Amino acid sequence: MTEQSSFSDTIRLGRDRGHANHGWLKTYHSFSFADYYDPAHMGFGALRVINEDYVQPGHGFGMHHHRDMEIVTLVLSGQLRHEDSMGHMATMGAYEVQRITAGSGMRHSEHSQGSVDTHLLQIWIEPNVRGVAPSYEQKQLDVEHARGRLLLIAAPQATETGVTLQQDAKIFLCKLHGDEALDYSLDTGRRAYVQVIKGSVKVNGQVLLGGDALKTFAPKVSIENGDLAEVLLFDLP
């Protein structure tokens, strides 16, 4: 039986992720990245990277090169300073989302600013077209609209609430607590990856804690019994 023909869910515990502590950077890798390699965790559909980073103030990633990748950065707390070879210079605060289409090639840098660590998620999604012109987008999320419901923060079409992806994929943010619950239906041939940012929540009957994730090909994703939970849901090809 192939993975796609099975509706069984797979749990990825946060404690089993790749981890590195560089002093100025503490990072957790959901999928193989840099010095962390696990052939069982090379990505999921078009989703290639989820890195959870804690970056100390005054430190960060110097100018480095990317191409043919959709890079989505979600700042959870602190401030992140961004500069790139396209001429963009911006500081992102809590619950701002940024999308870079690396396309034919670009360079960028990211540094933590302010007096506290910057906590962020960096997500890489493989594009459905290669070699396009690089581009950049940044939006402030209205997280009140994520309470008890799914807030679309990235999609293949332009939306009022999120950034645009060069891929047939969607990313949602939700905050659940108490008796709040929601269901999300997947189209045939699609898959979902659910990443718990913090708190605890039940996904398809499985209790997950901050850092944990669930991947599924089931036709429906049920999220409930949240305890101050924040969750990302990926709808993926």
Side-chain angles (χ1 to χ4, degrees), residues 105-133:
M106 51 78 64
R107 292 169 58 82
H108 74 144
S109 67
E110 302 157 297
H111 289 85
S112 176
Q113 291 193 327
S115 59
V116 299
D117 288 2
T118 299
H119 181 198
L120 64 102
L121 295 176
Q122 186 163 105
I123 298 155
W124 292 9
I125 294 177
E126 296 176 351
N128 53 17
V129 178
R130 294 180 175 270
V132 301

Side-chain angles (χ1 to χ4, degrees), residues 20-92:
N21 185 345
H22 301 286
W24 63 272
L25 168 68
K26 295 181 178 64
T27 183
Y28 298 85
H29 307 310
S30 294
F31 303 105
S32 295
F33 185 86
D35 293 333
Y36 169 63
Y37 175 73
D38 183 341
H41 298 284
M42 298 299 296
F44 187 59
L47 178 61
R48 179 61 187 84
V49 167
I50 303 178
N51 289 343
E52 182 175 13
D53 293 340
Y54 297 83
V55 187
Q56 289 184 350
H59 295 273
F61 308 94
M63 277 287 179
H64 55 284
H65 183 264
H66 294 282
R67 65 173 299 140
D68 290 325
M69 191 65 70
E70 300 294 285
I71 302 168
V72 178
T73 301
L74 175 61
V75 175
L76 300 170
S77 62
Q79 294 182 318
L80 188 70
R81 179 67 174 173
H82 164 91
E83 296 186 28
D84 64 43
S85 55
M86 295 176 281
H88 301 107
M89 300 175 62
T91 299
M92 300 171 59

Side-chain angles (χ1 to χ4, degrees), residues 148 150 176 181-186 204 219-224 233:
L150 292 167
L176 290 180
L182 56 88
D183 291 331
Y184 182 81
S185 296
L186 287 171
N204 286 2
K220 185 174 73 173
V221 180
S222 296
I223 307 176
E224 59 188 342
L233 186 153

Side-chain angles (χ1 to χ4, degrees), residues 145-146 148-152 172-174 182-184 223 231 233:
H145 288 169
R149 52 188 169 175
L150 292 167
L151 175 67
L152 184 62
F172 299 88
L173 170 70
C174 69
L182 56 88
D183 291 331
Y184 182 81
I223 307 176
V231 177
L233 186 153

Side-chain angles (χ1 to χ4, degrees), residues 157-192:
Q157 299 87 22
T159 70
E160 293 183 1
T161 60
V163 295
T164 307
L165 295 174
Q166 189 71 53
Q167 177 55 273
D168 184 18
K170 296 178 181 178
I171 308 174
F172 299 88
L173 170 70
C174 69
K175 292 171 170 276
L176 290 180
H177 185 67
D179 60 0
E180 296 172 334
L182 56 88
D183 291 331
Y184 182 81
S185 296
L186 287 171
D187 291 338
T188 302
R190 306 285 293 183
R191 67 190 79 193

